[in-house]
């Protein structure tokens, strides 16, 4: 999925209007970080760019970390994120 399309989906999930751009940089960074995490499990870029499951993972990742301040506290991804990521990695690893 193209970055622009994924960005809009994430913004909508965060209840940010499409025309607002104040957070686009942070959201794009989170999208890239999530895709990098998925790639590190052995899932091919082809799957990462086409799978709706990846879209779900990106939304979960962004909703977890969007606006997170680096104040020393730890914010963990939901267990469901890792369950879906593991299933994707097992079924689509290179």
């Amino acid at each position: 999925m193209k970055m622009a399309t994924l960005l809009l989906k994430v913004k909508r999930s965060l209840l940010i209007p499409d025309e607002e751009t104040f957070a686009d940089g942070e959201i794009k960074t989170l999208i890239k970080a999530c895709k990098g995490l998925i790639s590190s499990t052995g899932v091919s870029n082809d799957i990462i760019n086409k799978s709706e499951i990846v879209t779900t993972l990106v939304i979960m990742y962004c909703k977890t970390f969007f606006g997170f301040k680096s104040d020393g506290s730890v914010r963990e991804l939901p267990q469901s994120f890792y369950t879906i990521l593991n299933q994707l990695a097992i079924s689509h690893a290179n």
Side-chain angles (χ1 to χ4, degrees):
M1 181 171 295
K2 292 185 178 186
M3 176 62 82
T5 304
L6 198 47
L7 176 63
L8 284 176
K9 285 185 178 227
V10 171
K11 286 171 71 168
R12 289 174 183 161
S13 77
L14 294 168
L15 304 177
I16 298 172
D18 294 352
E19 62 276 359
E20 291 292 336
T21 60
F22 70 93
D24 286 6
E26 181 180 357
I27 295 169
K28 286 178 182 178
T29 299
L30 290 170
I31 291 169
K32 290 175 186 174
C34 184
K35 285 183 169 186
L37 176 60
I38 295 166
S39 178
S40 74
T41 68
V43 176
S44 70
N45 284 332
D46 188 50
I47 297 297
I48 291 171
N49 291 321
K50 292 181 181 177
S51 174
E52 284 298 317
I53 294 171
V54 171
T55 301
T56 299
L57 288 170
V58 167
I59 289 170
M60 292 172 77
Y61 189 94
C62 291
K63 287 181 98 169
T64 300
F65 292 111
F66 177 73
F68 182 65
K69 304 291 184 233
S70 300
D71 61 0
S73 61
V74 177
R75 189 159 182 194
E76 295 181 20
L77 283 163
Q79 185 60 38
S80 56
F81 175 89
Y82 290 109
T83 299
I84 296 168
L85 178 60
N86 288 334
Q87 290 173 341
L88 180 68
I90 290 167
S91 62
H92 293 290
N94 288 329

